[in-house]
């Protein structure tokens, strides 16, 4: 039957598919070489084929119950191995976290969304990761398990640089936790790509707005920029500027200008630095407008 | 490292001894003889390797065979029922929705999956559903028309 050349371009590795978190942590902690958790594999396997990553141990985390949690009670819990499709189709996500549902439905094709996991979108740590800005904008925290037990960190503190996270040897991302959206709040995510589908963001912005109790001014805002810095970044000056202000067209445009100051983009094949700065201004204004509309219900 | 796996392909159980580096696509093609799914790009862009894995369309080039242990897989070879072409396949023939044919098995799988979750898709919904499948011959128009025709054919038989 086999006519194929045995040209396995991927470097040899051991594969394990532990059934529980303790075993996964032990395998990752005790690995002698590089070890990588495997969720959907849509980034990792492509990188291994291109020899951009060559782990000697791959730990498939898809059989671990904690990483498959998807529930909405006092907030939203998403196991790190839950696929973009599962998230985008989960009714509470569509109702309470529409910006996250929309971002999950932007990542690649249906084929990709059916495999790609939100935890993978975080751990791959691409500055352009589409699902990360809305998660941070909604105030996400990450639960991380390791040899010394579990810890929880704000999602925005997870990233160190392109492809690099704070995960220590033996640590695995367990779940992404989003607080219940407060009353009179809304969020939106938009990215710019030069085509309709199947592309990597030239720039992306996720915005969250909570109105003051009288609904006349902005009580709190979070603005998260993608693909314009080595990691996803908060535009904190723009957020502070918005707090306490009435949200009219001029204010949103000013917030866009301020947000662009938090960007430190590179020029590459997808766009120049100057173009990305302009995109941040426009996408910030538009996502704030959409978030505001959702906050007003 | 090699590992013995069992998987169901088009309803038939198979055993295979696979290298951890081997993709599901390679196992299907070179160990189990299902040559319908194709390797185009090998990195999840072109969709020529599209199969249904446990009920969901995936790129078989981005799944390690060891991950598919115990899984149910459907390839384009499993789409025709009892020798009768699936309405999507029939519509591709009638509308000339292929030229070289390399991408066709992937398109058939994506189109069939679309019509199963959305029997009457709009044209934008069709184009979105096939956005993960590249065709370098047809310009897509005949593919879209074929999927629309298959949608109508299926609604008449339902």
């Amino acid at each position: 039957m086999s006519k194929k050349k045995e040209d396995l371009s991927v470097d040899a590795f051991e594969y394990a598919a532990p059934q529980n978190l303790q075993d996964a942590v032990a395998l990752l902690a005790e690995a002698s070489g590089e070890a990588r958790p495997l969720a959907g594999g849509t980034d990792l396997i492509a990188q291994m084929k291109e020899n951009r990553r060559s782990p000697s141990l791959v730990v498939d985390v898809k059989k671990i119950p904690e990483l498959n949690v998807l529930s909405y009670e006092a907030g939203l819990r998403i196991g790190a191995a839950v696929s973009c499709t599962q998230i985008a189709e989960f009714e509470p996500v569509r109702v309470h976290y529409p910006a996250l549902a929309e971002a999950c439905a932007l990542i690649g094709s249906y084929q990709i969304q059916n495999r790609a996991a939100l935890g993978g979108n975080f751990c791959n740590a691409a500055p352009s990761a589409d699902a990360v800005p809305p998660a941070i904008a909604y105030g996400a925290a990450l639960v991380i398990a390791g040899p010394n037990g579990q810890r929880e960190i704000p999602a925005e503190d997870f990233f160190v640089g392109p492809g690099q996270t704070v995960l220590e040897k033996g640590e695995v991302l367990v779940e992404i936790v989003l607080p219940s959206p407060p009353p009179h709040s809304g969020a939106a995510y938009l990215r710019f790509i030069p085509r309709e589908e199947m592309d990597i963001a030239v720039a992306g912005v996720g915005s969250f707005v909570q109105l003051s109790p009288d609904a006349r001014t902005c009580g709190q805002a979070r603005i998260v920029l993608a693909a314009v810095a080595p990691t996803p970044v908060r535009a904190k000056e723009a957020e502070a500027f918005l707090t306490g202000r009435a949200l009219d067209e001029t204010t949103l445009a000013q917030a866009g200008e301020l947000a662009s100051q938090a960007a430190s983009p590179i020029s590459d094949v997808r766009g120049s630095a100057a173009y990305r700065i302009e995109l941040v201004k426009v996408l910030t204004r538009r996502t704030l407008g959409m978030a505001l509309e959702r906050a007003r219900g | 490292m090699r590992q013995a796996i069992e998987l169901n392909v088009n309803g038939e159980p198979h055993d295979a001894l696979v290298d951890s580096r081997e993709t599901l696509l390679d196992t299907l093609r070179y160990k189990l003889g299902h040559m319908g799914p194709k390797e185009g790009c090998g990195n999840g862009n072109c969709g020529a390797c599209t199969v249904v894995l446990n009920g969901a369309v995936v790129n078989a080039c981005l799944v390690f065979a060891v991950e598919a242990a115990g899984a149910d897989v459907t390839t384009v070879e499993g789409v025709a029922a009892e020798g009768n072409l699936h309405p999507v396949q029939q519509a591709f023939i009638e509308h000339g929705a292929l030229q070289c044919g390399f991408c066709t098995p992937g398109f058939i799988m994506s189109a069939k999956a679309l019509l199963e979750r959305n029997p009457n898709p709009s044209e934008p919904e069709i184009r979105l559903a096939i956005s993960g499948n590249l065709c370098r011959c047809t310009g897509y128009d005949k593919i879209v028309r074929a999927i629309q025709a298959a949608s109508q054919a299926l609604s008449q038989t339902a």
Side-chain angles (χ1 to χ4, degrees), chain A residues 10 13 49 62 111 114-115, chain B residues 20-21 42 50 57 61 67:
Chain A
V10 175
F13 64 89
K49 286 183 169 194
K62 289 190 288 296
Q111 291 95 317
N114 283 340
R115 289 300 277 180
Chain B
S20 57
R21 292 169 286 181
T50 302
V57 286
C61 77
E67 292 181 85

Side-chain angles (χ1 to χ4, degrees), chain A residues 5 41 57 61 71 78 82 87 96 103 117 131 136 138 166 186 189 193 205 218 225 228 241 244 264 268 283 288:
Chain A
K5 68 286 175 182
L57 172 66
V61 295
S71 72
I78 303 174
V82 175
I87 296 166
H96 302 293
I136 294 176
Y138 280 120
V166 299
Y189 174 72
I193 57 174
V205 177
C218 173
L225 315 181
V228 292
F241 167 77
S264 52
D268 68 7
L283 295 174
L288 283 170

Side-chain angles (χ1 to χ4, degrees), chain A residues 111, chain B residues 36-38 46-52 57 74-80 84-98 101-117 129-130 132-135 142-143 146-147 150 154:
Chain A
Q111 291 95 317
Chain B
K38 305 284 193 284
C46 80
C49 65
T50 302
V51 300
V52 174
V57 286
T74 307
T75 69
V76 73
E77 288 92 341
V79 167
N84 296 315
L85 291 179
H86 187 276
V88 171
Q89 293 173 304
Q90 193 62 43
F92 268 61
I93 293 171
E94 287 170 7
H95 290 260
L98 58 133
F102 189 88
C103 68
T104 310
F107 271 97
I108 299 284
M109 301 313 284
S110 287
K112 180 171 173 286
L114 166 68
L115 297 179
E116 282 166 4
R117 67 176 181 270
I130 58 173
N133 295 85
L134 297 185
C135 174
K142 291 184 174 183
I143 293 173
I147 296 171
L154 280 162

Side-chain angles (χ1 to χ4, degrees), chain A residues 205-209 218 221-225 234-243 245-263 277-289 292:
Chain A
V205 177
S207 293
F208 168 90
V209 169
C218 173
R222 280 190 289 269
I223 300 168
V224 189
L225 315 181
R234 292 263 302 266
K236 292 198 172 174
E237 272 188 54
E239 296 174 2
F241 167 77
L242 287 171
T243 307
R245 274 176 210 270
L247 297 174
D248 55 26
E249 281 293 311
T250 314
T251 311
L252 300 191
Q254 286 173 310
E257 294 286 332
L258 281 171
S260 72
Q261 292 171 19
I277 295 280
E278 289 305 312
L279 284 173
V280 168
K281 296 178 189 174
V282 174
L283 295 174
T284 300
R285 175 166 52 78
R286 287 185 188 164
T287 51
L288 283 170
L292 185 59

Side-chain angles (χ1 to χ4, degrees), chain A residues 113-257:
Chain A
Q113 289 159 26
N114 283 340
R115 289 300 277 180
L118 181 58
N121 208 225
F122 271 92
C123 293
N124 186 54
S128 56
D130 286 310
V132 168
I136 294 176
Y138 280 120
L142 304 180
V143 179
I144 295 164
N148 303 315
Q150 293 208 347
R151 62 183 175 125
E152 191 170 316
I153 64 167
E156 64 204 72
D157 294 342
F158 186 65
F159 303 99
V160 175
Q164 291 179 303
T165 70
V166 299
L167 288 180
E168 305 270 356
K169 186 174 168 67
E171 285 192 319
V172 59
L173 176 59
V174 178
E175 67 180 51
I176 299 98
V177 183
L178 275 61
S180 289
H184 308 297
S185 69
Y189 174 72
L190 288 177
R191 70 171 180 193
F192 178 80
I193 57 174
R195 51 195 296 207
E196 300 273 327
E197 308 294 340
M198 292 290 285
D199 209 345
I200 294 169
V202 182
V205 177
S207 293
F208 168 90
V209 169
Q210 183 188 3
L211 298 174
S212 59
D214 66 3
R216 296 164 76 97
T217 60
C218 173
Q220 192 189 7
R222 280 190 289 269
I223 300 168
V224 189
L225 315 181
V228 292
T231 66
V233 286
R234 292 263 302 266
K236 292 198 172 174
E237 272 188 54
E239 296 174 2
F241 167 77
L242 287 171
T243 307
R245 274 176 210 270
L247 297 174
D248 55 26
E249 281 293 311
T250 314
T251 311
L252 300 191
Q254 286 173 310
E257 294 286 332

